[in-house]
Amino acid sequence: MTKTWLITGTSTGFGRALATLLAQKADVRLVATARHPEQLDYLTPMDHGQILRLPLDVTQPDQIKSVLKTVHNRWGTIDVLVNNAGIGYFGTFEESDLSAVQQMFAVNVWGLIHLTRAVLPEMRQQHVGTIVNFSSIGGLYSFPTLSYYHATKYAVEGMSESLEKEVRDLGIKVMLIEPSGFRTDWAGRSSQKTLPTHPDYQPLASFIQDNAQGAHHEAGDPQAAAQIIYDQVTHHQAELPLRLPLGEFAVKTALQKVQAEAVAFKANYELSASADRPLD
């Protein structure tokens, strides 16, 4: 059955890789969006033709309404929403530029919220739909100089987990994508950077610089990730995981974090439980 996919942030990275793949699928009607739609020229007329290339800045509610109206007039419903649009930010907690941080929250968190809330009513009405939210291994594990980026992704994780519990009996699936390092230029031009100026934080400057210099040399392959996402949504709906780490580093780090926390929680079990007192 042909499904309509709406993807945000398709000019680069994961969004571009996924849009490129879906443009070749006869069972997909593709809505590829980006802040600058002229950057979507890679979706050529030689593709299968069921493609809309639309401008969308997810921080602008009026643009969200316009995109959904266009899609409804053309194809009626949205079956798969992929919240991929996102930006990064490197900087110490103390010295980060909070205006840049607020813009990151506007894109990574509030943009995702507004678009998802706009799409959910029709998914509920049709009793079917899939929401794919891009998080990061940074939604599970934190590194220095990324505190505010992690805050956005931890927010996406928490919201998505709660949303999944609210809509699981309504025929709607939710899946979090948690990549590690991929060749998407995220650590390069897709993230802002504020190098430390205080001497106490100087050792952290190399962490930021090394990440920027390592852009395009990461282990992760965006095309492989796109294929996995398509296959999961299309062929494994019944077993769709809530959390899907992508990349060996991501899944190893996730397992190490969960295992270490389980040990710590068990070690403090009696202390934690002692905070309860029976009511008189």
Side-chain angles (χ1 to χ4, degrees):
M1 184 177 68
T2 303
K3 292 186 177 182
T4 300
W5 290 58
L6 190 160
I7 312 173
T8 63
T10 59
S11 60
T12 60
F14 289 114
R16 179 168 180 146
L18 186 56
T20 300
L21 174 68
L22 296 181
Q24 310 303 321
K25 302 293 184 181
D27 62 344
V28 171
R29 294 183 293 253
L30 172 63
V31 186
T33 71
R35 286 187 301 147
H36 303 289
E38 65 274 12
Q39 296 176 345
L40 305 182
D41 289 346
Y42 65 89
L43 296 170
T44 68
M46 295 188 64
D47 297 318
H48 64 64
Q50 298 189 98
I51 299 172
L52 281 173
R53 298 179 295 185
L54 299 175
L56 177 59
D57 179 341
V58 295
T59 68
Q60 302 299 317
D62 288 344
Q63 288 192 25
I64 291 176
K65 292 179 183 177
S66 177
V67 165
L68 295 188
K69 182 178 180 180
T70 300
V71 176
H72 293 160
N73 290 339
R74 180 76 172 268
W75 291 319
T77 61
I78 294 167
D79 302 293
V80 183
L81 170 63
V82 182
N83 284 304
N84 165 72
I87 55 178
Y89 184 86
F90 286 82
T92 65
F93 180 86
E94 185 178 347
E95 295 186 309
S96 288
D97 177 355
L98 291 186
S99 62
V101 168
Q102 289 169 348
Q103 176 62 21
M104 181 173 58
F105 269 87
V107 175
N108 294 9
V109 180
W110 286 107
L112 180 150
I113 289 172
H114 289 313
L115 183 53
T116 305
R117 281 169 59 97
V119 170
L120 262 176
E122 68 181 46
M123 287 188 173
R124 283 193 295 102
Q125 186 174 16
Q126 64 195 21
H127 296 287
V128 66
T130 303
I131 298 167
V132 180
N133 288 338
F134 265 81
S135 176
S136 164
I137 187 55
L140 293 174
Y141 185 90
S142 300
F143 299 91
T145 75
L146 285 164
S147 57
Y148 295 107
Y149 174 75
H150 289 307
T152 67
K153 294 306 182 180
Y154 275 71
V156 169
E157 293 269 338
M159 287 188 297
S160 298
E161 183 173 346
S162 185
L163 175 62
E164 189 276 334
K165 293 175 180 177
E166 294 173 2
V167 300
R168 64 172 58 157
D169 295 330
L170 305 177
I172 302 170
K173 298 284 188 176
V174 178
M175 180 168 67
L176 283 157
I177 303 299
E178 299 164 334
S180 47
F182 275 73
R183 297 185 292 276
T184 62
D185 204 29
W186 175 85
R189 66 183 182 86
S190 295
S191 60
Q192 296 189 53
K193 300 163 186 69
T194 299
L195 291 175
T197 59
H198 195 284
D200 287 348
Y201 295 128
Q202 279 305 304
L204 296 173
S206 61
F207 182 86
I208 299 175
Q209 294 165 332
D210 290 347
N211 271 277
Q213 293 169 1
H216 300 294
H217 298 284
E218 298 90 345
D221 177 4
Q223 286 72 38
Q227 186 66 55
I228 289 170
I229 294 167
Y230 171 77
D231 288 343
Q232 288 294 308
V233 171
T234 304
H235 303 302
H236 300 281
Q237 271 287 304
E239 304 86 25
L240 200 66
L242 171 60
R243 289 183 168 86
L244 183 62
L246 289 181
E248 186 176 16
F249 180 81
V251 69
K252 281 186 174 180
T253 300
L255 284 169
Q256 290 169 0
K257 169 94 182 256
V258 170
Q259 291 164 356
E261 288 194 338
V263 170
F265 286 138
K266 289 177 181 178
N268 290 309
Y269 182 90
E270 295 299 332
L271 176 63
S272 297
S274 70
D276 289 344
R277 290 289 186 275
L279 294 175
D280 295 332

